[in-house]
Amino acid sequence: MNRLEQLKAIENGEEWDVIVIGGGATGLGAALESATRGYKTLLLEQSDFAKSTSSKATKLLHGGVRYLAQGDVALVREASVERGLLLKNAQHLAKNLSFIIPAYSWWEGIYYTIGLKLYDWMAGRLSLGSSRHISRRTTLEKLPGLKQDHLTAGILYHDGQFDDARLAVNLSQTIREKGGVALNYMKVTALEKNSAGQLAHVTVSDAETGKTYRLRTKGIINATGVFVDDILEMDDPSIKRKIVASQGVHLVLDSEFLPGDNALMIPKTSDGRVLFAVPWHNKVVVGTTDNPVNEISLDPVAMEKEINFILGTAGQYLAKVPTRSDVRSVWAGLRPLAKPEKSEKTKEISRNHKIMVSASGLVTILGGKWTTYRRMGEDVVDRLEKVKGWNITESVTRHLPVHGASVKLAESDPLYFYGSDAAAIRSMPGGGEVLSQQLAIIKAQVLWAVREEMARTVEDVLARRTRALFLDAEEAVRIAPAVAQIMAAELGRDAQWETEQVSAFRKLAGTYELRPKNVLTSI
């Protein structure tokens, strides 16, 4: 998927049926839904696909055990169905994962077993497997890194796991394959109305060239996540804020802290949330937090209190207590939550998505989560059709495989997450050079990222085309110069570009490395 080829599609001045603003989970889902219904569709992302929230999830496709505890039955049911569909539609990126809740009294064992049986029932035929009560001995066999003190039993249940940024990249490719156009590094700077007061033009700036485009469109979907208020204000400067942001932080540890293939779920932490320790790409991801924040940023930074909370909570359950020096990477993401009518704690705000329509015809989608991205896309395009008075069309995405899903490789294959693209990557001339033995990254992955996945920066490659920055920030920094050199040759850039790219990446990576000077203190 060559970016220059995609750019040609917006240079002829033709009118678009649908322009989707935002290249995260929500926008990608909406654009794919629109394109597959036959609409001339353009997606515009101000940075890289999934640069913000959508690359910083807990990597879980889940119905939401804690939403069940909050009584949000409809959301649990919807998410359970969508989870099952995505496990089929993106089989190269998603899988069934066993989770275990440790019980420390007979009552906890009964309570969680009953709750998870209800969780199974709500998933229906798309359930990933029956939950069951397991003995203390079996719990320790399945979670050898768990502390043994006072443990009485465990409850095993099933949920899904996936790779968020890789799914985003594959969705952008699927949009193109279905006739749509998806462009990164295109920032919307203005919206214009026609004489009837309806939005009809979008002005966008190419971050690479500085060139400005004025695009005609019949419909606009605002799917910009934590940035939806920015687009809403372009349409109506007097509008009240519609989004509240909640920050979630994750730490990455070596697999020795939780050996094996099973995940740990801590059902109730000191702040009333759940905490997960999940095996992922031969590491363990531990998180998350839920702290309201006022500043919206593409690159939020973990706060000291969040890091201490995760380390402290994990240390209560893991036999080998993790310390700051054990953390390979730390990242923070912002959840876009629809602002409630009354004041609520962010952890209590529903994760359901919400659609609103402006007088100008702008359709905005708020909230939601990765698991339900497809349903969100379906719902928002349905609403757009009604708003515009178009013929109602049916969704075809329910059983639509995403790019790469036709082949599922064993996870022992270092290129397994490329699915059907793995063979082409492996056969690239000169691509076998190893850049990182530790993270199993080869030169061909960089070449492929530039040629077929619209990677434009070293960060694009090391954060979202491979997951180096999220798995081991120090190792990612080490190989950054080699990545920059390969990319410069591919993109026709000079030595100064290489230097600037490495410098920018090192600065960003510094916020992923757990050093006191890179961590914001608690307010």
Side-chain angles (χ1 to χ4, degrees):
M1 184 170 59
N2 185 291
R3 187 173 186 272
L4 294 178
E5 290 176 6
Q6 294 276 284
L7 274 173
K8 291 176 184 176
I10 69 170
E11 293 176 343
N12 56 22
E14 293 182 12
E15 185 176 42
W16 297 89
D17 293 325
V18 180
I19 289 182
V20 177
I21 308 172
T26 312
L28 289 162
L32 182 57
E33 187 69 34
S34 175
T36 53
R37 294 194 194 191
Y39 295 114
K40 185 179 168 77
T41 304
L42 170 64
L43 179 144
L44 301 168
E45 162 56 42
Q46 67 170 329
S47 183
D48 186 30
F49 304 117
K51 155 74 174 177
S52 186
T53 304
S54 296
S55 61
K56 296 168 181 173
T58 315
K59 322 307 176 193
L60 301 182
L61 296 170
H62 59 111
V65 175
R66 73 184 185 86
Y67 309 142
L68 183 61
Q70 293 172 357
D72 199 340
V73 174
L75 178 58
V76 175
R77 175 61 183 165
E78 178 181 273
S80 296
V81 170
E82 291 299 320
R83 174 193 65 186
L85 295 175
L86 189 49
L87 282 164
K88 295 177 180 177
N89 295 336
Q91 62 165 349
H92 62 309
L93 294 175
K95 68 173 184 177
N96 184 339
L97 184 66
S98 295
F99 291 74
I100 297 170
I101 300 176
Y104 294 92
S105 69
W106 68 270
W107 166 244
E108 280 187 343
I110 294 172
Y111 177 79
Y112 293 124
T113 299
I114 293 172
L116 288 166
K117 284 297 180 185
L118 179 59
Y119 191 52
D120 294 343
W121 174 77
M122 294 182 70
R125 59 187 178 83
L126 288 171
S127 169
L128 304 185
S130 297
S131 59
R132 67 182 194 274
H133 187 278
I134 57 177
S135 68
R136 179 179 188 274
R137 178 179 176 180
T138 302
T139 299
L140 292 172
E141 286 174 353
K142 290 184 175 295
L143 289 179
L146 189 67
K147 276 185 179 177
Q148 301 184 25
D149 300 354
H150 309 296
L151 181 73
T152 60
I155 304 89
L156 183 148
Y157 73 97
H158 297 265
D159 243 327
Q161 182 181 42
F162 79 128
D163 190 314
D164 48 12
R166 288 300 314 171
L167 179 56
V169 170
N170 286 161
L171 285 171
S172 70
Q173 292 169 303
T174 312
I175 290 166
R176 178 174 179 265
E177 290 164 358
K178 297 302 176 182
V181 175
L183 283 166
N184 52 2
Y185 295 102
M186 300 293 284
K187 183 176 177 63
V188 172
T189 57
L191 304 176
E192 294 179 46
K193 300 179 179 71
N194 59 21
S195 58
Q198 295 296 292
L199 289 175
H201 290 89
V202 174
T203 301
V204 61
S205 175
D206 186 336
E208 284 197 337
T209 65
K211 185 175 180 179
T212 297
Y213 300 85
R214 184 170 176 265
L215 308 172
R216 292 189 297 145
T217 186
K218 297 173 184 174
I220 302 174
I221 294 173
N222 174 16
T224 51
V226 291
F227 298 97
V228 296
D229 287 330
D230 294 349
I231 303 300
L232 286 168
E233 287 172 7
M234 288 182 194
D235 175 52
D236 178 4
S238 67
I239 197 164
K240 292 182 179 179
R241 189 176 176 187
K242 299 296 181 183
I243 279 286
V244 291
S246 164
Q247 178 160 294
V249 167
H250 296 84
L251 307 182
V252 176
L253 305 170
D254 287 329
S255 59
E256 64 189 55
F257 284 90
L258 193 69
D261 300 322
N262 301 294
L264 165 66
M265 198 271 253
I266 300 167
K268 194 165 186 179
T269 62
S270 59
D271 73 343
R273 284 185 55 79
V274 300
L275 194 79
F276 293 98
V278 183
W280 187 64
H281 288 302
N282 301 313
K283 302 286 185 183
V284 178
V285 176
V286 188
T288 182
T289 56
D290 196 334
N291 286 299
V293 293
N294 294 320
E295 184 179 347
I296 305 297
S297 166
L298 276 170
D299 292 305
V301 178
M303 293 182 282
E304 185 73 22
K305 68 178 182 180
E306 294 174 302
I307 293 164
N308 290 338
F309 167 77
I310 294 175
L311 285 174
T313 304
Q316 295 171 22
Y317 291 84
L318 298 179
K320 182 177 181 181
V321 177
T323 65
R324 297 175 68 91
S325 62
D326 296 313
V327 176
R328 297 290 173 236
S329 185
V330 53
W331 73 80
L334 301 181
R335 302 179 189 87
L337 305 176
K339 192 173 184 180
E341 297 298 322
K342 60 180 182 178
S343 177
E344 295 180 42
K345 294 180 180 179
T346 52
K347 71 175 188 291
E348 295 168 352
I349 299 174
S350 173
R351 266 48 174 176
N352 257 320
H353 58 277
K354 176 182 177 183
I355 298 171
M356 58 177 287
V357 180
S358 304
S360 64
L362 176 67
V363 177
T364 297
I365 182 162
L366 316 169
K369 59 200 187 86
W370 250 122
T371 306
T372 56
Y373 90 93
R374 190 212 64 83
R375 180 60 185 270
M376 291 162 66
E378 180 181 339
D379 288 352
V380 77
V381 174
D382 283 349
R383 180 65 67 86
L384 181 65
E385 288 181 335
K386 292 178 182 177
V387 168
K388 295 298 177 182
W390 298 344
N391 291 332
I392 303 301
T393 60
E394 287 191 20
S395 173
V396 297
T397 56
R398 191 174 175 88
H399 302 292
L400 178 72
V402 304
H403 180 92
S406 61
V407 173
K408 183 176 178 66
L409 302 170
E411 282 191 49
S412 56
D413 186 328
L415 300 181
Y416 80 90
F417 49 88
Y418 288 97
S420 59
D421 286 337
I425 295 170
R426 229 185 298 273
S427 63
M428 294 180 82
E433 178 188 342
V434 176
L435 302 182
S436 172
Q437 190 77 43
Q438 183 179 320
L439 298 177
I441 296 172
I442 59 175
K443 178 181 178 180
Q445 291 173 267
V446 182
L447 296 173
W448 186 263
V450 174
R451 295 175 187 175
E452 302 294 337
E453 297 177 342
M454 292 178 69
R456 311 302 292 174
T457 70
V458 168
E459 180 195 337
D460 293 347
V461 172
L462 290 177
R464 290 171 292 278
R465 304 313 186 275
T466 68
R467 307 315 306 276
L469 179 60
F470 286 79
L471 295 169
D472 192 323
E474 186 177 333
E475 177 69 355
V477 168
R478 187 189 71 78
I479 66 174
V483 171
Q485 187 176 42
I486 296 166
M487 293 185 73
E490 277 293 302
L491 295 169
R493 309 296 192 191
D494 58 18
Q496 182 180 347
W497 181 89
E498 286 185 49
T499 301
E500 290 171 350
Q501 280 290 305
V502 172
S503 177
F505 182 74
R506 282 176 175 159
K507 183 177 180 181
L508 174 68
T511 67
Y512 285 67
E513 295 178 288
L514 196 46
R515 298 171 183 166
K517 65 185 179 67
N518 289 324
V519 180
L520 297 180
T521 56
S522 173
I523 297 173

